[in-house]
Amino acid sequence: MDDSGNQRTRRRDYGGAGLHRADLAADPLMQFSAWLEAAIADRIADPTAMALATVGAGRTPSVRIVLLKHFDAQGLCWYTDYRSAKGAELAENPFASVLFHWREQDRQVRISGSVRRLSAAESDAYFKSRPPDSRYASAASVQSAPIADRQALERAVRALRKAHAPDAVPRPAEWGGYRLRPVEYEFWQGRPSRLHDRFRYRTSNAGGWDVVRLQP
């Protein structure tokens, strides 16, 4: 604590290499892909973990960590229970922002845009690719809903195991994927003395991307 009694938090200086306009790909998806591949190559823990921020009808933002499962020119995809808190908020307000933080590289990427559900066929294909235990858990749980105790959840999983073989667990109709279609990207590279590098891509009226440097 300092002399006023306030709790002080620790900070560190950043030492990342510089990021210049000439370094950036014309397409932000290519730039994101390159940074994600670098995070994976550097064996950063959970490189596909992203903070997902949503806002529902009450206009109160909420955020949680989810895992990016795949992405392409159409957007970034993840899977969850549509009845979850984030599912309810996206039903009310189909826009979101995600943040990737690769601490070891002093890098962040923020991506914002509209969100839509994936097709049933896409959700079925991903659900079938999951480990059996994950399929049982997803089918047994109504995410975000109250439950009496852990034993009740474990009983629901045991009942599903008795009813369905591991390769025959049905995907719940209320479980599936979402795709965020980006309209804005921001790439942040930490630098010493708070003089960080930040570049923002936004969709342009011409159909491409406008890129500007932002002050740190």
Side-chain angles (χ1 to χ4, degrees):
M1 292 187 179
D2 59 25
D3 293 339
S4 65
N6 293 324
Q7 184 71 38
R8 300 187 65 178
T9 58
R10 295 182 178 180
R11 69 177 299 276
R12 66 182 178 89
D13 206 358
Y14 297 95
L19 181 64
H20 306 283
R21 178 65 181 86
D23 299 330
L24 299 173
D27 184 339
L29 184 66
M30 293 179 62
Q31 184 65 40
F32 168 73
S33 180
W35 273 23
L36 177 59
E37 289 175 6
I40 293 171
D42 283 355
R43 299 181 181 274
I44 290 175
D46 298 320
T48 60
M50 59 186 186
L52 168 67
T54 54
V55 178
R59 301 179 65 184
T60 300
S62 58
V63 64
R64 74 289 288 164
I65 299 295
V66 300
L67 297 180
L68 173 68
K69 292 302 181 180
H70 51 90
F71 66 96
D72 54 26
Q74 301 305 311
L76 289 76
C77 302
W78 68 93
Y79 295 81
T80 189
D81 193 318
Y82 297 142
R83 298 163 294 185
S84 65
K86 54 186 170 295
E89 289 163 356
L90 287 169
E92 293 283 351
N93 179 22
F95 296 89
S97 185
V98 298
L99 173 71
F100 294 85
H101 180 210
W102 299 308
R103 180 185 182 279
E104 295 85 347
Q105 297 173 326
D106 294 333
R107 285 178 171 176
Q108 297 182 53
V109 182
R110 185 162 56 91
I111 307 171
S112 303
S114 60
V115 179
R116 291 187 178 181
R117 291 185 183 184
L118 295 178
S119 69
E122 290 171 301
S123 293
D124 283 339
Y126 176 73
F127 189 79
K128 291 177 181 177
S129 75
R130 304 184 81 201
D133 286 348
S134 295
R135 282 180 254 162
Y136 284 122
S138 296
S141 171
V142 179
Q143 193 175 65
S144 300
I147 193 167
D149 51 37
R150 183 176 180 84
Q151 287 69 34
L153 182 60
E154 292 173 346
R155 285 195 297 271
V157 171
R158 287 197 295 271
L160 277 173
R161 289 185 183 278
K162 290 181 180 180
H164 302 284
D167 60 351
V169 183
R171 177 181 69 86
E174 292 300 320
W175 188 98
Y178 288 97
R179 175 180 284 113
L180 184 151
R181 188 174 184 85
V183 297
E184 180 175 313
Y185 289 77
E186 183 184 318
F187 294 87
W188 182 97
Q189 176 68 69
R191 298 289 300 278
S193 303
R194 196 190 168 277
L195 295 178
H196 314 307
D197 290 320
R198 294 173 62 191
F199 287 93
R200 182 184 66 206
Y201 292 72
R202 277 184 177 167
T203 52
S204 69
N205 293 333
W209 295 90
D210 293 326
V211 185
V212 298
R213 176 184 278 274
L214 303 177
Q215 297 183 57

